[in-house]
Amino acid sequence: MYLRISYLLLALLLTACASVPTPPTKPDQSIVNQADDVATEARVSQNLNELLSQVSQDQEIPLQSLESGFLDAKTIPSIRKLVLPPSGTFKKNWLVYRKRFIEPVRLKAGKAFWEENRAFLSQVEQDSGVPAEIIVAIIGIETIYGRQTGNFRVKDVLSTLAFSYPETPNKPAREQLFKDQLKELILLCWTEAGGKLPAKNSMQGVNGTRFSTCLNQNSSYAGAIGLPQFMPSSIRSFAIDGDGDGRVDLKQSPKDAIASVGNFMKKHGWQPGMPISFPVQTDGITAAKELADGQPQLKHTVQELIEKGILTKQQGDLQSGGVEPSSKAFIVDLPYPDKDGSDQVQYFIGLNNFLTIVQYNRSYFYAQSVAEFAEALGYKNQSVVPVENTSKTASSKSASEKSKQKKTSAKKKPKTN
């Protein structure tokens, strides 16, 4: 059923439902569902029209153009189920999650994708500081390099979730998030169609077909688009024209996807040459458990974690593949049930670059999977200090050692009377 349903039709349908005789034992569930669906469609239609009017006024885009673009928009009941939180009996399983993504088919596809785009990946790595393995891992986990980009129309997804989100404790916040994304989609598609913002109530230069095509493109059930699965706001803020054809196409252009992922990670604080996470020492698991709070915030220094036995001294040594002792970190807990169903947890220490991956997808499972996928492709999860810095450090140490030797030698000289 379409969103823009007339209220007269709604009234007639509701009246018809009310006039149908109801068996004394059990109501006809199909009729009840039909009434609910029609009421939902009408409510969504009204709210969508209000949003389109607001965007039209704020950005001076002709309202008729927006209404035409959303004329055939419809709600998708199935995605309301897909965004529901897991049941209370559901147990998170890190091992199952990891196995789903770090597996032979995806890794083989990753190596092939890397080989096909090796030169460009090297260029993006040099420009952004983000290792090629990380970029390849993210695109592989997101869509297997474009094989699984979603089969829902993005305007339908965002309209449904913006105005008909399922009843959950965070419903108001989630609906607002998707309303914002729906606005971002409209602005994205308007500019992709050749329009300017604000539009000054003009269709000059705007390709109506391209505008409609953009609104109708496929997405995930949450509205993410293309090989890297960017939400509309991320496309507008971080997507880059990697292949130089004058437009960003995350669906068909691997170079655009690669450049966009690199730019996203760079803009979200990726530290070149630094590791992502460290495993917790066996003797430090109890201490890590006490510090774990599920909050992705850099709050503990690496030195503090070393003193608690959670990390080794080497992991606080930049020259040995670790990081500076003053670097901040947090506890990453990855739960899973063992074969007997008992709750277990694998712990890691998340560093700044782990937090950067979390900004891409707010999941510890996701971030650690990216790290391990990248390692399977050859990524070395350790610090890489530039040669010039190493030389300077070595020279500094050499000079310091010579100075110490002179002082020691002077102290050893016998006193003269």
Side-chain angles (χ1 to χ4, degrees):
M1 285 180 284
Y2 296 115
L3 293 176
R4 299 184 55 75
I5 187 170
S6 71
Y7 291 103
L8 177 58
L9 176 58
L10 170 62
L12 291 172
L13 285 171
L14 290 177
T15 302
C17 291
S19 63
V20 175
T22 303
T25 54
K26 185 178 180 180
D28 187 334
Q29 192 62 42
S30 64
I31 295 176
V32 174
N33 289 340
Q34 183 181 18
D36 289 343
D37 288 346
V38 172
T40 297
E41 294 287 359
R43 185 182 70 253
V44 172
S45 177
Q46 181 179 2
N47 290 332
L48 176 58
N49 288 336
E50 290 175 359
L51 182 139
L52 295 180
S53 296
Q54 179 187 345
V55 173
S56 173
Q57 183 176 356
D58 293 344
Q59 299 297 331
E60 301 183 46
I61 298 174
L63 179 58
Q64 183 179 358
S65 300
L66 299 182
E67 290 178 337
S68 177
F70 283 87
L71 187 61
D72 63 341
K74 58 184 179 182
T75 57
I76 309 176
S78 62
I79 67 171
R80 301 178 74 246
K81 296 179 181 178
L82 291 172
V83 298
L84 283 173
S87 65
T89 58
F90 174 81
K91 285 189 176 183
K92 292 183 178 181
N93 194 325
W94 157 239
L95 300 184
V96 170
Y97 184 98
R98 181 188 185 281
K99 186 177 181 180
R100 175 185 172 192
F101 295 108
I102 306 174
E103 46 82 27
V105 172
R106 216 175 283 252
L107 287 171
K108 182 179 180 180
K111 292 173 182 176
F113 181 82
W114 193 355
E115 191 59 37
E116 292 168 3
N117 299 280
R118 183 175 293 276
F120 189 69
L121 279 162
S122 296
Q123 178 186 326
V124 171
E125 178 175 344
Q126 184 175 359
D127 293 343
S128 67
V130 182
E133 298 95 326
I134 298 297
I135 297 174
V136 173
I138 287 175
I139 298 176
I141 288 177
E142 289 291 347
T143 63
I144 318 182
Y145 312 100
R147 297 182 192 177
Q148 300 175 349
T149 57
N151 54 7
F152 301 100
R153 290 195 310 182
V154 64
K155 71 181 181 186
D156 295 338
V157 169
L158 296 179
S159 297
T160 300
L161 297 179
F163 304 117
S164 184
Y165 199 85
E167 294 299 328
T168 60
N170 62 346
K171 177 178 178 176
R174 298 297 289 174
E175 283 195 333
Q176 186 58 53
L177 182 152
F178 287 108
K179 287 176 188 175
D180 293 340
Q181 291 300 324
L182 185 55
K183 293 177 184 178
E184 293 284 348
L185 175 69
I186 293 170
L187 302 184
L188 169 68
C189 293
W190 186 258
T191 55
E192 278 196 9
K196 296 181 179 180
L197 297 173
K200 303 299 183 184
N201 287 305
S202 172
M203 283 291 290
Q204 184 176 0
V206 176
N207 185 317
T209 300
R210 185 178 292 179
F211 178 59
S212 178
T213 299
C214 178
L215 293 174
N216 291 333
Q217 66 185 301
N218 284 353
S219 77
S220 72
Y221 68 82
I225 296 168
L227 276 72
Q229 293 289 274
F230 273 21
M231 294 296 286
S233 61
S234 290
I235 296 177
R236 297 191 70 219
S237 299
F238 307 109
I240 289 179
D241 173 19
D243 57 19
D245 67 352
R247 59 189 294 263
V248 174
D249 183 359
L250 299 182
K251 301 178 293 298
Q252 301 295 331
S253 173
K255 287 186 176 181
D256 286 3
I258 290 167
S260 298
V261 172
N263 187 52
F264 181 100
M265 299 296 281
K266 178 182 178 180
K267 293 294 178 64
H268 282 80
W270 181 270
Q271 293 181 344
M274 291 293 104
I276 297 171
S277 61
F278 292 137
V280 169
Q281 296 301 298
T282 303
D283 295 340
I285 291 178
T286 300
K289 182 178 181 180
E290 293 175 351
L291 295 177
D293 60 6
Q295 299 298 316
Q297 298 175 359
L298 300 168
K299 59 183 66 175
H300 308 290
T301 66
V302 168
Q303 182 60 42
E304 175 190 348
L305 299 178
I306 292 173
E307 292 172 357
K308 291 180 178 294
I310 296 173
L311 294 178
T312 66
K313 290 183 179 180
Q314 182 178 340
Q315 290 164 331
D317 183 353
L318 193 63
Q319 301 300 321
S320 300
V323 296
E324 294 285 1
S326 59
S327 298
K328 291 294 187 71
F330 61 101
I331 311 299
V332 174
D333 52 335
L334 307 176
Y336 65 94
D338 62 18
K339 60 182 180 180
D340 297 323
S342 299
D343 295 335
Q344 304 293 334
V345 180
Q346 187 173 7
Y347 292 98
F348 287 87
I349 299 304
L351 303 168
N352 178 85
N353 285 345
F354 189 97
L355 185 60
T356 300
I357 302 174
V358 171
Q359 302 307 308
Y360 198 102
N361 184 314
R362 297 181 183 279
S363 162
Y364 287 174
F365 282 13
Y366 177 88
Q368 186 61 27
S369 292
V370 168
E372 295 190 21
F373 193 111
E375 287 186 66
L377 293 174
Y379 171 72
K380 303 299 182 183
N381 186 39
Q382 58 188 31
S383 60
V384 181
V385 183
V387 176
E388 58 270 22
N389 289 355
T390 304
S391 300
K392 290 178 182 178
T393 303
S395 299
S396 177
K397 284 186 176 180
S398 178
S400 176
E401 289 173 358
K402 288 181 179 179
S403 177
K404 288 181 179 179
Q405 289 176 356
K406 287 182 179 180
K407 290 180 180 179
T408 303
S409 177
K411 288 180 179 179
K412 288 182 179 179
K413 288 182 180 180
K415 291 183 180 179
T416 55
N417 296 323

Short mmCIF file of all heavy atoms in Angstrom, two decimals, residues 221-271:
data_model
loop_
_atom_site.label_atom_id
_atom_site.label_comp_id
_atom_site.label_asym_id
_atom_site.label_seq_id
_atom_site.Cartn_x
_atom_site.Cartn_y
_atom_site.Cartn_z
N TYR A 221 18.53 -2.80 5.09
CA TYR A 221 17.28 -2.57 5.81
C TYR A 221 17.35 -1.38 6.76
O TYR A 221 16.34 -0.96 7.31
CB TYR A 221 16.87 -3.83 6.58
CG TYR A 221 17.77 -4.21 7.74
CD1 TYR A 221 17.65 -3.60 8.98
CD2 TYR A 221 18.75 -5.19 7.58
CE1 TYR A 221 18.47 -3.95 10.04
CE2 TYR A 221 19.57 -5.55 8.63
CZ TYR A 221 19.42 -4.92 9.85
OH TYR A 221 20.25 -5.26 10.90
N ALA A 222 18.57 -0.81 6.92
CA ALA A 222 18.72 0.38 7.76
C ALA A 222 19.01 1.63 6.94
O ALA A 222 19.22 2.70 7.49
CB ALA A 222 19.83 0.16 8.79
N GLY A 223 19.05 1.49 5.60
CA GLY A 223 19.25 2.66 4.75
C GLY A 223 20.69 2.91 4.35
O GLY A 223 21.02 4.00 3.87
N ALA A 224 21.58 1.92 4.54
CA ALA A 224 22.99 2.09 4.16
C ALA A 224 23.16 1.74 2.68
O ALA A 224 22.54 0.81 2.16
CB ALA A 224 23.88 1.20 5.02
N ILE A 225 24.05 2.48 2.00
CA ILE A 225 24.14 2.43 0.54
C ILE A 225 25.53 2.03 0.05
O ILE A 225 26.55 2.45 0.60
CB ILE A 225 23.78 3.82 -0.04
CG1 ILE A 225 22.31 4.17 0.27
CG2 ILE A 225 24.05 3.88 -1.54
CD1 ILE A 225 21.96 5.61 -0.02
N GLY A 226 25.55 1.22 -1.00
CA GLY A 226 26.77 0.96 -1.74
C GLY A 226 27.73 -0.05 -1.14
O GLY A 226 27.45 -0.69 -0.13
N LEU A 227 28.91 -0.19 -1.78
CA LEU A 227 29.92 -1.14 -1.35
C LEU A 227 30.32 -0.95 0.11
O LEU A 227 30.45 -1.93 0.85
CB LEU A 227 31.16 -1.06 -2.23
CG LEU A 227 31.16 -1.86 -3.55
CD1 LEU A 227 30.23 -1.21 -4.56
CD2 LEU A 227 32.57 -1.97 -4.12
N PRO A 228 30.52 0.30 0.56
CA PRO A 228 30.93 0.50 1.96
C PRO A 228 29.78 0.71 2.92
O PRO A 228 30.00 0.91 4.11
CB PRO A 228 31.81 1.76 1.87
CG PRO A 228 31.16 2.57 0.79
CD PRO A 228 30.62 1.56 -0.21
N GLN A 229 28.54 0.68 2.41
CA GLN A 229 27.35 0.85 3.25
C GLN A 229 27.39 2.14 4.06
O GLN A 229 27.33 2.14 5.29
CB GLN A 229 27.18 -0.36 4.17
CG GLN A 229 26.84 -1.65 3.44
CD GLN A 229 25.43 -1.66 2.87
OE1 GLN A 229 24.48 -2.01 3.55
NE2 GLN A 229 25.28 -1.29 1.61
N PHE A 230 27.44 3.26 3.35
CA PHE A 230 27.37 4.58 3.97
C PHE A 230 25.92 5.01 4.11
O PHE A 230 25.12 4.82 3.19
CB PHE A 230 28.08 5.61 3.10
CG PHE A 230 29.57 5.74 3.35
CD1 PHE A 230 30.28 4.72 3.96
CD2 PHE A 230 30.24 6.88 2.97
CE1 PHE A 230 31.65 4.84 4.19
CE2 PHE A 230 31.61 7.02 3.18
CZ PHE A 230 32.32 6.00 3.80
N MET A 231 25.58 5.61 5.24
CA MET A 231 24.29 6.26 5.38
C MET A 231 24.33 7.57 4.59
O MET A 231 25.41 8.10 4.31
CB MET A 231 23.98 6.52 6.86
CG MET A 231 23.80 5.27 7.68
SD MET A 231 22.37 4.27 7.18
CE MET A 231 21.01 5.27 7.82
N PRO A 232 23.16 8.12 4.21
CA PRO A 232 23.15 9.35 3.41
C PRO A 232 23.98 10.49 4.01
O PRO A 232 24.69 11.19 3.28
CB PRO A 232 21.66 9.72 3.37
CG PRO A 232 20.97 8.39 3.41
CD PRO A 232 21.79 7.56 4.36
N SER A 233 23.94 10.67 5.33
CA SER A 233 24.72 11.75 5.94
C SER A 233 26.21 11.51 5.77
O SER A 233 26.99 12.45 5.56
CB SER A 233 24.38 11.87 7.43
OG SER A 233 24.69 10.66 8.12
N SER A 234 26.65 10.25 5.85
CA SER A 234 28.07 9.95 5.66
C SER A 234 28.49 10.15 4.22
O SER A 234 29.62 10.56 3.94
CB SER A 234 28.37 8.51 6.10
OG SER A 234 28.27 8.38 7.50
N ILE A 235 27.59 9.86 3.29
CA ILE A 235 27.91 10.09 1.87
C ILE A 235 28.15 11.58 1.65
O ILE A 235 29.12 11.99 1.01
CB ILE A 235 26.78 9.59 0.96
CG1 ILE A 235 26.63 8.07 1.08
CG2 ILE A 235 27.06 9.97 -0.50
CD1 ILE A 235 25.50 7.49 0.27
N ARG A 236 27.27 12.40 2.20
CA ARG A 236 27.40 13.84 2.02
C ARG A 236 28.64 14.41 2.70
O ARG A 236 29.24 15.37 2.23
CB ARG A 236 26.16 14.57 2.54
CG ARG A 236 24.87 14.22 1.80
CD ARG A 236 23.74 15.17 2.18
NE ARG A 236 23.98 16.51 1.66
CZ ARG A 236 23.72 17.63 2.31
NH1 ARG A 236 23.23 17.58 3.55
NH2 ARG A 236 23.94 18.80 1.76
N SER A 237 29.04 13.79 3.82
CA SER A 237 30.14 14.35 4.60
C SER A 237 31.51 13.75 4.26
O SER A 237 32.52 14.45 4.36
CB SER A 237 29.87 14.13 6.10
OG SER A 237 28.69 14.78 6.51
N PHE A 238 31.55 12.47 3.88
CA PHE A 238 32.85 11.80 3.77
C PHE A 238 33.12 11.11 2.43
O PHE A 238 34.26 10.73 2.18
CB PHE A 238 32.98 10.76 4.89
CG PHE A 238 32.73 11.33 6.26
CD1 PHE A 238 31.57 10.99 6.96
CD2 PHE A 238 33.62 12.21 6.85
CE1 PHE A 238 31.32 11.52 8.22
CE2 PHE A 238 33.38 12.75 8.10
CZ PHE A 238 32.23 12.40 8.80
N ALA A 239 32.11 10.94 1.59
CA ALA A 239 32.33 10.23 0.33
C ALA A 239 33.17 11.07 -0.62
O ALA A 239 33.06 12.30 -0.66
CB ALA A 239 30.99 9.87 -0.31
N ILE A 240 34.01 10.39 -1.39
CA ILE A 240 34.97 11.04 -2.28
C ILE A 240 34.87 10.45 -3.69
O ILE A 240 34.65 9.26 -3.86
CB ILE A 240 36.41 10.87 -1.75
CG1 ILE A 240 36.62 11.71 -0.49
CG2 ILE A 240 37.44 11.26 -2.78
CD1 ILE A 240 38.00 11.56 0.10
N ASP A 241 35.07 11.31 -4.68
CA ASP A 241 35.14 10.87 -6.07
C ASP A 241 36.54 10.31 -6.32
O ASP A 241 37.46 11.04 -6.66
CB ASP A 241 34.85 12.05 -7.00
CG ASP A 241 35.06 11.72 -8.45
OD1 ASP A 241 35.08 10.52 -8.79
OD2 ASP A 241 35.22 12.66 -9.27
N GLY A 242 36.69 9.00 -6.14
CA GLY A 242 38.00 8.39 -6.27
C GLY A 242 38.45 8.16 -7.70
O GLY A 242 39.64 8.19 -7.99
N ASP A 243 37.50 7.92 -8.61
CA ASP A 243 37.89 7.61 -9.99
C ASP A 243 37.95 8.84 -10.89
O ASP A 243 38.27 8.74 -12.08
CB ASP A 243 36.96 6.55 -10.60
CG ASP A 243 35.50 6.97 -10.58
OD1 ASP A 243 35.22 8.19 -10.45
OD2 ASP A 243 34.62 6.09 -10.69
N GLY A 244 37.62 10.01 -10.32
CA GLY A 244 37.77 11.25 -11.06
C GLY A 244 36.77 11.49 -12.17
O GLY A 244 37.04 12.27 -13.09
N ASP A 245 35.59 10.87 -12.09
CA ASP A 245 34.60 11.07 -13.15
C ASP A 245 33.63 12.20 -12.83
O ASP A 245 32.66 12.42 -13.56
CB ASP A 245 33.83 9.78 -13.43
CG ASP A 245 32.94 9.35 -12.26
OD1 ASP A 245 33.03 9.98 -11.18
OD2 ASP A 245 32.16 8.39 -12.42
N GLY A 246 33.89 12.91 -11.74
CA GLY A 246 33.07 14.07 -11.41
C GLY A 246 31.87 13.79 -10.53
O GLY A 246 31.12 14.71 -10.20
N ARG A 247 31.68 12.56 -10.13
CA ARG A 247 30.57 12.23 -9.25
C ARG A 247 30.96 11.06 -8.35
O ARG A 247 31.87 10.30 -8.65
CB ARG A 247 29.30 11.89 -10.03
CG ARG A 247 29.45 10.71 -10.97
CD ARG A 247 28.21 10.57 -11.86
NE ARG A 247 27.04 10.21 -11.09
CZ ARG A 247 26.58 8.98 -10.95
NH1 ARG A 247 27.22 7.95 -11.54
NH2 ARG A 247 25.50 8.72 -10.26
N VAL A 248 30.26 10.96 -7.21
CA VAL A 248 30.51 9.86 -6.27
C VAL A 248 29.51 8.75 -6.52
O VAL A 248 28.30 8.98 -6.48
CB VAL A 248 30.39 10.36 -4.81
CG1 VAL A 248 30.51 9.19 -3.84
CG2 VAL A 248 31.47 11.40 -4.51
N ASP A 249 30.00 7.57 -6.78
CA ASP A 249 29.14 6.41 -7.02
C ASP A 249 29.65 5.26 -6.17
O ASP A 249 30.57 4.53 -6.56
CB ASP A 249 29.16 6.03 -8.50
CG ASP A 249 28.22 4.87 -8.82
OD1 ASP A 249 27.57 4.36 -7.87
OD2 ASP A 249 28.13 4.49 -10.00
N LEU A 250 29.05 5.08 -5.00
CA LEU A 250 29.49 4.04 -4.09
C LEU A 250 28.94 2.66 -4.47
O LEU A 250 29.35 1.66 -3.90
CB LEU A 250 29.07 4.37 -2.65
CG LEU A 250 29.65 5.66 -2.06
CD1 LEU A 250 29.17 5.83 -0.63
CD2 LEU A 250 31.16 5.66 -2.13
N LYS A 251 28.05 2.63 -5.44
CA LYS A 251 27.43 1.36 -5.85
C LYS A 251 28.24 0.65 -6.93
O LYS A 251 28.35 -0.57 -6.92
CB LYS A 251 26.01 1.61 -6.34
CG LYS A 251 25.09 2.26 -5.29
CD LYS A 251 23.71 2.52 -5.85
CE LYS A 251 23.72 3.57 -6.94
NZ LYS A 251 24.19 4.89 -6.44
N GLN A 252 28.80 1.43 -7.86
CA GLN A 252 29.46 0.83 -9.02
C GLN A 252 30.96 1.09 -9.08
O GLN A 252 31.66 0.41 -9.83
CB GLN A 252 28.80 1.36 -10.32
CG GLN A 252 27.32 1.08 -10.43
CD GLN A 252 27.00 -0.40 -10.53
OE1 GLN A 252 27.80 -1.19 -11.02
NE2 GLN A 252 25.82 -0.79 -10.04
N SER A 253 31.45 2.07 -8.36
CA SER A 253 32.85 2.45 -8.47
C SER A 253 33.66 1.98 -7.26
O SER A 253 33.58 2.58 -6.19
CB SER A 253 32.99 3.97 -8.61
OG SER A 253 34.36 4.35 -8.54
N PRO A 254 34.50 0.95 -7.42
CA PRO A 254 35.36 0.51 -6.31
C PRO A 254 36.30 1.62 -5.84
O PRO A 254 36.57 1.73 -4.64
CB PRO A 254 36.14 -0.66 -6.93
CG PRO A 254 35.26 -1.18 -8.01
CD PRO A 254 34.60 0.05 -8.58
N LYS A 255 36.78 2.44 -6.77
CA LYS A 255 37.69 3.52 -6.38
C LYS A 255 36.98 4.55 -5.50
O LYS A 255 37.56 5.05 -4.53
CB LYS A 255 38.28 4.18 -7.62
CG LYS A 255 39.32 3.33 -8.34
CD LYS A 255 39.98 4.08 -9.48
CE LYS A 255 41.07 3.23 -10.13
NZ LYS A 255 41.74 3.95 -11.24
N ASP A 256 35.75 4.87 -5.83
CA ASP A 256 34.99 5.80 -4.99
C ASP A 256 34.80 5.21 -3.59
O ASP A 256 34.91 5.91 -2.58
CB ASP A 256 33.63 6.10 -5.62
CG ASP A 256 33.73 7.02 -6.83
OD1 ASP A 256 34.86 7.39 -7.22
OD2 ASP A 256 32.68 7.37 -7.40
N ALA A 257 34.50 3.92 -3.54
CA ALA A 257 34.28 3.25 -2.25
C ALA A 257 35.57 3.23 -1.43
O ALA A 257 35.56 3.52 -0.23
CB ALA A 257 33.77 1.83 -2.47
N ILE A 258 36.67 2.88 -2.06
CA ILE A 258 37.96 2.80 -1.38
C ILE A 258 38.36 4.18 -0.83
O ILE A 258 38.74 4.31 0.35
CB ILE A 258 39.05 2.28 -2.34
CG1 ILE A 258 38.82 0.80 -2.64
CG2 ILE A 258 40.45 2.49 -1.75
CD1 ILE A 258 39.64 0.28 -3.82
N ALA A 259 38.29 5.19 -1.67
CA ALA A 259 38.67 6.53 -1.25
C ALA A 259 37.77 7.04 -0.13
O ALA A 259 38.22 7.71 0.80
CB ALA A 259 38.63 7.49 -2.44
N SER A 260 36.50 6.71 -0.21
CA SER A 260 35.53 7.18 0.78
C SER A 260 35.76 6.53 2.15
O SER A 260 35.68 7.20 3.19
CB SER A 260 34.10 6.91 0.30
OG SER A 260 33.84 7.61 -0.90
N VAL A 261 36.06 5.23 2.15
CA VAL A 261 36.36 4.55 3.42
C VAL A 261 37.62 5.13 4.04
O VAL A 261 37.67 5.42 5.24
CB VAL A 261 36.52 3.03 3.21
CG1 VAL A 261 37.02 2.36 4.49
CG2 VAL A 261 35.19 2.41 2.80
N GLY A 262 38.65 5.33 3.22
CA GLY A 262 39.88 5.92 3.73
C GLY A 262 39.66 7.30 4.31
O GLY A 262 40.18 7.64 5.38
N ASN A 263 38.84 8.11 3.63
CA ASN A 263 38.57 9.46 4.11
C ASN A 263 37.76 9.44 5.40
O ASN A 263 38.02 10.22 6.33
CB ASN A 263 37.81 10.24 3.04
CG ASN A 263 37.65 11.71 3.39
OD1 ASN A 263 38.61 12.40 3.71
ND2 ASN A 263 36.42 12.19 3.37
N PHE A 264 36.78 8.54 5.47
CA PHE A 264 35.97 8.42 6.69
C PHE A 264 36.86 8.09 7.89
O PHE A 264 36.76 8.72 8.95
CB PHE A 264 34.91 7.32 6.51
CG PHE A 264 34.01 7.14 7.71
CD1 PHE A 264 32.74 7.71 7.71
CD2 PHE A 264 34.41 6.42 8.82
CE1 PHE A 264 31.89 7.56 8.81
CE2 PHE A 264 33.59 6.26 9.93
CZ PHE A 264 32.32 6.84 9.92
N MET A 265 37.73 7.10 7.73
CA MET A 265 38.58 6.68 8.83
C MET A 265 39.56 7.80 9.22
O MET A 265 39.81 8.03 10.41
CB MET A 265 39.35 5.42 8.43
CG MET A 265 38.45 4.24 8.10
SD MET A 265 37.47 3.66 9.49
CE MET A 265 38.71 2.71 10.36
N LYS A 266 40.11 8.47 8.24
CA LYS A 266 41.02 9.57 8.51
C LYS A 266 40.33 10.68 9.29
O LYS A 266 40.85 11.18 10.29
CB LYS A 266 41.58 10.13 7.19
CG LYS A 266 42.51 11.32 7.37
CD LYS A 266 42.99 11.84 6.01
CE LYS A 266 43.89 13.06 6.18
NZ LYS A 266 44.36 13.57 4.86
N LYS A 267 39.13 11.06 8.83
CA LYS A 267 38.39 12.15 9.48
C LYS A 267 37.91 11.76 10.87
O LYS A 267 37.64 12.63 11.70
CB LYS A 267 37.19 12.55 8.61
CG LYS A 267 37.57 13.19 7.28
CD LYS A 267 38.25 14.53 7.48
CE LYS A 267 38.67 15.17 6.17
NZ LYS A 267 37.54 15.52 5.29
N HIS A 268 37.83 10.47 11.15
CA HIS A 268 37.39 10.02 12.48
C HIS A 268 38.56 9.66 13.39
O HIS A 268 38.37 9.01 14.42
CB HIS A 268 36.42 8.85 12.36
CG HIS A 268 35.03 9.27 11.97
ND1 HIS A 268 34.69 9.56 10.67
CD2 HIS A 268 33.90 9.46 12.71
CE1 HIS A 268 33.41 9.91 10.63
NE2 HIS A 268 32.91 9.87 11.84
N GLY A 269 39.75 10.10 13.01
CA GLY A 269 40.88 10.02 13.94
C GLY A 269 41.82 8.85 13.81
O GLY A 269 42.56 8.55 14.76
N TRP A 270 41.83 8.18 12.66
CA TRP A 270 42.76 7.06 12.50
C TRP A 270 44.20 7.55 12.67
O TRP A 270 44.60 8.54 12.09
CB TRP A 270 42.61 6.42 11.12
CG TRP A 270 43.54 5.25 10.92
CD1 TRP A 270 44.81 5.28 10.43
CD2 TRP A 270 43.28 3.88 11.26
NE1 TRP A 270 45.36 4.02 10.42
CE2 TRP A 270 44.44 3.14 10.93
CE3 TRP A 270 42.17 3.21 11.80
CZ2 TRP A 270 44.52 1.76 11.12
CZ3 TRP A 270 42.26 1.84 11.99
CH2 TRP A 270 43.43 1.14 11.66
N GLN A 271 44.98 6.83 13.46
CA GLN A 271 46.38 7.17 13.70
C GLN A 271 47.27 6.27 12.85
O GLN A 271 47.40 5.06 13.11
CB GLN A 271 46.73 7.00 15.18
CG GLN A 271 46.02 7.99 16.09
CD GLN A 271 46.39 7.81 17.56
OE1 GLN A 271 46.94 6.79 17.95
NE2 GLN A 271 46.08 8.80 18.36
#
